[in-house]
């Protein structure tokens, strides 16, 4: 419920901001495009009650393809505020360490809406290099464990919960104007991701066994977008 309220508030703020300044040409921009998210997940060991969980069970994540969309509001000659979202991709978690043979252990939709301030470096005639910094809120929906995980821990079924988190977001990029309104952007971004996964497994003869694993990363994001100013 908290995640839905956050998204609703962001959408309302975006609509109000766009409507209030629609009469000011070229102060607004919308960008859409593609991004590749590469993970290098740092995983702790999956832990549970004594005697229930072998040591060395870790988690990794597969890379993602993301459709991105953002709204930008110019604040001055070189400054702009930006809200970024996109269609949430499905994150696939796989076993690592001792758990590598298990394969897929869980799936979830990952959301990371971001607010940032962008600074365009002046003095360039053909392209416009820029840097940006801000904050992202990462949360997960449609979380489910895999049959492979349940079999590995001898469970009849499991529920999984990934903790939401705030993190710093940074970006560098280049903008190439096609004309007064249209432009192309190429970007490299990264953000801080930290979460804890809690998995409750229904285990025959033992009842519910709860296990936890701490995860952190600084995913690398390579993106290309097309923008329209209005």
């Amino acid at each position: 419920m908290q995640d839905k309220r956050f998204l609703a508030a962001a959408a309302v703020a975006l609509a109000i901001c766009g409507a209030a300044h629609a009469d000011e040409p070229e102060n607004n921009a919308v960008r859409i495009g593609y991004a590749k998210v590469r993970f290098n997940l740092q995983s702790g060991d999956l832990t549970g009650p004594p005697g229930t969980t072998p040591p060395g069970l870790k988690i990794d994540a597969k890379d993602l393809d993301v459709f991105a969309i953002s709204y930008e509001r110019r604040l001055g000659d070189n400054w702009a505020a930006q809200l970024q979202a996109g269609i949430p991709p499905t994150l696939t978690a796989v076993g690592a360490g001792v758990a590598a043979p298990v394969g897929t252990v869980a799936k979830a939709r990952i959301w990371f809406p971001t607010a940032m301030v962008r600074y365009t470096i002046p003095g360039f005639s053909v392209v416009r290099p820029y840097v940006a910094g801000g904050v992202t809120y990462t949360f997960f929906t449609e979380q489910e464990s895999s049959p492979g995980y349940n079999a590995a821990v001898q469970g009849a079924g499991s529920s999984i919960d990934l903790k939401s988190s705030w993190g710093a977001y940074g970006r560098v990029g280049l903008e190439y104007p096609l004309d007064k309104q249209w432009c192309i952007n190429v970007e490299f971004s990264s953000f801080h991701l930290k979460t804890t996964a809690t998995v409750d497994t229904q285990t025959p003869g033992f009842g519910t066994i709860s296990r936890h694993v701490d995860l952190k990363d600084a995913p690398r994001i390579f993106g290309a977008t097309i923008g329209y100013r209005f």
Side-chain angles (χ1 to χ4, degrees):
M1 183 63 70
Q2 180 181 2
D3 298 335
K4 292 180 179 179
R5 288 198 297 267
F6 175 84
L7 288 177
V12 170
L14 177 67
I16 292 174
C17 187
H21 300 289
D23 58 341
E24 301 179 22
E26 300 179 34
N27 281 340
N28 308 279
V30 174
R31 307 176 193 277
I32 59 172
Y34 164 83
K36 183 74 172 183
V37 183
R38 297 190 179 277
F39 290 97
N40 183 24
L41 202 62
Q42 298 177 48
S43 170
D45 285 359
L46 184 71
T47 60
T52 65
T53 310
L57 299 177
K58 299 180 183 293
I59 293 178
D60 203 351
K62 291 185 177 181
D63 295 343
L64 296 175
D65 297 303
V66 179
F67 173 78
I69 183 169
S70 66
Y71 166 77
E72 184 178 286
R73 170 65 183 170
R74 189 169 68 91
L75 303 176
D77 290 341
N78 299 310
W79 293 93
Q82 192 173 45
L83 292 175
Q84 176 178 280
I87 298 176
T90 298
L91 177 68
T92 300
V94 296
V98 176
V102 177
T104 298
V105 295
K107 291 186 176 182
R109 291 275 189 181
I110 180 172
W111 303 68
F112 43 100
T114 304
M116 71 186 89
V117 175
R118 172 173 135 163
Y119 176 72
T120 300
I121 301 171
F124 293 83
S125 57
V126 179
V127 296
R128 300 169 181 167
Y130 55 85
V131 295
V135 63
T136 189
Y137 178 62
T138 305
F139 64 97
F140 305 86
T141 59
E142 300 178 29
Q143 306 166 65
E144 58 182 29
S145 62
S146 73
Y149 172 83
N150 292 322
V153 296
Q154 301 179 342
S158 301
S159 63
I160 182 170
D161 180 67
L162 288 153
K163 186 179 178 181
S164 304
S165 67
W166 293 89
Y169 192 102
R171 167 175 291 163
V172 295
L174 293 172
E175 179 179 282
Y176 178 75
L178 299 175
D179 57 27
K180 189 176 181 179
Q181 291 180 299
W182 293 92
C183 65
I184 295 175
N185 297 265
V186 291
E187 304 169 330
F188 170 77
S189 308
S190 185
F191 68 98
H192 181 68
L193 171 63
K194 186 177 182 180
T195 186
T196 298
T198 300
V199 189
D200 293 329
T201 302
Q202 301 300 320
T203 309
F206 294 92
T208 300
I209 295 178
S210 184
R211 298 179 174 91
H212 311 269
V213 59
D214 293 326
L215 307 166
K216 61 180 180 179
D217 199 354
R220 298 163 294 159
I221 307 172
F222 303 88
T225 63
I226 185 166
Y228 177 75
R229 296 190 178 279
F230 59 96

